[in-house]
Amino acid sequence: MSKYNGHKNYNHWNVSLWINNDEGLYNTARSFCRAYRSKLPAAMAMKQELADAGITHTPDGAPYSVSAIRAAMVEM
């Protein structure tokens, strides 16, 4: 049984919570999902865009990783 609402760990859950509940992050993630054929390159591109903007962690400290961003994009 998962402790993190279907996510494999705290980091995936936290990143998903931010991406799916912040309008700007959500719209960014959706645009990357539309631009790429699969979630992995979409997540890689989004992580790079966040890093280029100096954003490496959620506001409460969870790191944005490719796997966590990809997990957040599952239902998109």
Side-chain angles (χ1 to χ4, degrees):
M1 178 159 38
S2 173
K3 297 180 186 179
Y4 303 103
N5 292 340
H7 294 279
K8 75 178 193 173
N9 58 43
Y10 172 82
N11 192 64
H12 281 206
W13 170 78
N14 187 285
V15 169
S16 183
L17 190 70
W18 282 99
I19 289 175
N20 285 292
N21 289 287
D22 177 278
E23 185 176 8
L25 288 172
Y26 180 77
N27 289 335
T28 299
R30 296 238 337 146
S31 70
F32 279 115
C33 286
R34 284 191 298 270
Y36 290 87
R37 290 181 179 217
S38 69
K39 303 290 194 246
L40 182 57
M44 292 170 71
M46 182 166 176
K47 183 181 183 310
Q48 187 60 54
E49 182 166 297
L50 289 171
D52 290 348
I55 301 167
T56 59
H57 292 73
T58 65
D60 54 359
Y64 283 111
S65 66
V66 171
S67 64
I69 294 169
R70 184 177 175 273
M73 292 175 163
V74 166
E75 298 296 321
M76 293 182 184

